[in-house]
Amino acid sequence: MWRARRWPERRRTASSGRANTHVIHHAGKILALVEAGLPYEMTSELGTVGPRDFGGRLTTGMTAHPKELDGELHFFGYGVVPPYLTYHRLDAAGELVESRAVEVPGPTMMHDFTVTEHYVIWLDLPVVFDMERLGKGMPFSWSDAYGARLGVMDRAGVTRWFDVDPCYVFHVGNAREDAQGRVVLDGVRYSRDYFNRTWKVIGGSTDPTPQAGAAVLHRWTLDLDGAVKEEQLDDRSVEFPTFNEDRLGRASRYLYAVTGGEVVKYDTERGTSTITPVDGHAGEAVFVPRAGARAEDEGWLMSIVDDRLLVHEATDLHEVASVRLPRRVPAGFHGSWIAD
Ligand SMILES: [Fe+2]
């Protein structure tokens, strides 16, 4: 049984952080994000407006991976004092309309989560706050005692937890409810050993670039009666799963990811994949739908590869553009296509 240490009670406030992980657009605002701090509002000309705390009501950081479903923005903040996990929701006008503590056993490092039509999906995994790592980058490490759970929270805030084989997941792909009402979640799964090896390299941040090893595409199928099915979908080491976000939380067929030097396209219906090599370190391949597209994969993949922005047709992965950037961008950042 994992037991949390007692922490002194104090008023929770979130501070502004470096906002260096992701940039999103919601309700007419551009927000730069880092999970340890408040969202930072920016102008489309890259000017800084400032941190947003919704009139003081947002008292946690905002994950760098919020999920927009039907205009609403779902997100969470995690911390090292209780409540360790707090769910938040912005309505389509950008107002903070819900904040709700979610019970987890301890200060788990949660980098991502997702939503389906009726549920919020939590990753309560065994990488937890570790005092001994204070001052050495992110103060979190693997705990054999913590266990591993996925949570399915309904809109009333009731969460069902499912024990899973211990692992860590930085990033999930899509999730959906299937015809039998089960929740199906795809994500990139790290074993304990591979997490520990990766964490030694990237322990000062939370967005690993793919390295040789075993962070693999994995599927969890959660039967709300309690059964969990786990299956590895591929043996290629990948990171940064992306998809056509118009399909977020609903059935989708295609998933994209990157290896160290390739962009990968998975057809999860047929169980096949195709790859295209890139000359350098492939950054996240962001899917941009073609205006008026009908097919799920009608659009482009935009990926920063060192000092270039590469654009591939998402249908067959052929390269259509390579744009030289004024400087190299280290792999590991996220981004969004924000239509002008
Ligand atoms: Fe990330």
Side-chain angles (χ1 to χ4, degrees):
M1 182 72 184
W2 198 88
R3 295 187 60 211
R5 294 174 206 229
R6 293 296 300 171
W7 286 87
E9 293 295 321
R10 62 178 167 85
R11 178 171 138 61
R12 287 175 63 83
T13 51
S15 58
S16 42
R18 273 179 280 181
N20 63 2
T21 308
H22 201 347
V23 179
I24 62 156
H25 181 257
H26 180 254
K29 302 250 191 309
I30 298 174
L31 301 175
L33 305 173
V34 66
E35 66 197 39
L38 292 170
Y40 247 85
E41 187 179 340
M42 300 167 55
T43 70
S44 58
E45 302 299 317
L46 306 183
T48 302
V49 179
R52 294 198 73 205
D53 68 0
F54 303 88
R57 286 176 297 128
L58 180 59
T59 58
T60 73
M62 181 193 264
T63 172
H65 292 290
K67 297 292 183 287
E68 184 177 341
L69 185 67
D70 301 331
E72 294 186 315
L73 195 74
H74 302 261
F75 65 100
F76 66 91
Y78 72 88
V80 300
V81 293
Y84 299 117
L85 176 63
T86 308
Y87 164 75
H88 305 279
R89 180 168 56 91
L90 304 186
D91 67 9
E95 282 299 313
L96 182 64
V97 291
E98 184 176 355
S99 292
R100 174 193 294 280
V102 178
E103 188 130 346
V104 290
T108 176
M109 182 181 85
M110 199 181 294
H111 183 67
D112 198 358
F113 82 131
T114 195
V115 293
T116 64
E117 282 183 272
H118 300 100
Y119 302 110
V120 175
I121 314 300
W122 300 115
L123 309 169
D124 181 24
L125 301 176
V127 174
V128 294
F129 180 67
D130 179 356
M131 285 285 273
E132 287 175 13
R133 276 188 55 87
L134 273 178
K136 301 176 190 163
M138 294 271 292
F140 291 83
S141 63
W142 182 281
S143 163
D144 280 325
Y146 189 77
R149 286 159 291 274
L150 300 181
V152 176
M153 185 179 88
D154 66 22
R155 295 290 191 253
V158 177
T159 305
R160 271 170 279 194
W161 295 100
F162 299 79
D163 287 320
V164 295
D165 194 16
C167 65
Y168 194 72
V169 177
F170 288 97
H171 299 116
V172 296
N174 205 2
R176 64 186 161 89
E177 296 155 37
D178 71 8
Q180 290 81 46
R182 298 175 301 186
V183 171
V184 181
L185 169 71
D186 293 341
V188 176
R189 180 187 189 277
Y190 287 65
S191 65
R192 179 183 69 172
D193 289 353
Y194 189 54
F195 172 84
N196 283 335
R197 270 173 28 221
T198 305
W199 198 235
K200 255 189 198 154
V201 180
I202 63 130
S205 73
T206 48
D207 281 297
T209 56
Q211 297 157 45
V216 292
L217 192 61
H218 197 82
R219 173 167 289 180
W220 294 264
T221 302
L222 310 174
D223 192 318
L224 298 189
D225 292 336
V228 180
K229 183 174 143 201
E230 300 201 35
E231 50 193 323
Q232 183 175 327
L233 300 185
D234 188 29
D235 54 10
R236 198 178 273 119
S237 192
V238 293
E239 249 302 346
F240 301 118
T242 55
F243 54 95
N244 182 340
E245 291 193 14
D246 293 344
R247 312 276 171 134
L248 174 70
R250 303 187 168 96
S252 63
R253 176 171 177 178
Y254 301 109
L255 198 63
Y256 312 94
V258 293
T259 71
E262 298 156 320
V263 175
V264 186
K265 177 182 183 180
Y266 290 104
D267 181 337
T268 62
E269 236 170 70
R270 296 175 67 185
T272 59
S273 59
T274 48
I275 58 165
T276 191
V278 296
D279 186 15
H281 295 94
E284 178 181 55
V286 176
F287 180 83
V288 182
R290 191 186 301 274
R294 295 212 168 162
E296 181 187 325
D297 59 348
E298 216 179 314
W300 300 275
L301 295 170
M302 301 182 75
S303 178
I304 292 176
V305 178
D306 301 323
D307 59 352
R308 287 165 301 142
L309 174 70
L310 293 189
V311 184
H312 293 92
E313 282 277 359
T315 46
D316 61 5
L317 298 187
H318 87 264
E319 186 180 312
V320 290
S322 172
V323 181
R324 195 66 185 257
L325 302 176
R327 69 192 60 184
R328 186 180 79 86
V329 179
F333 288 102
H334 297 282
S336 303
W337 172 256
I338 300 173
D340 194 345

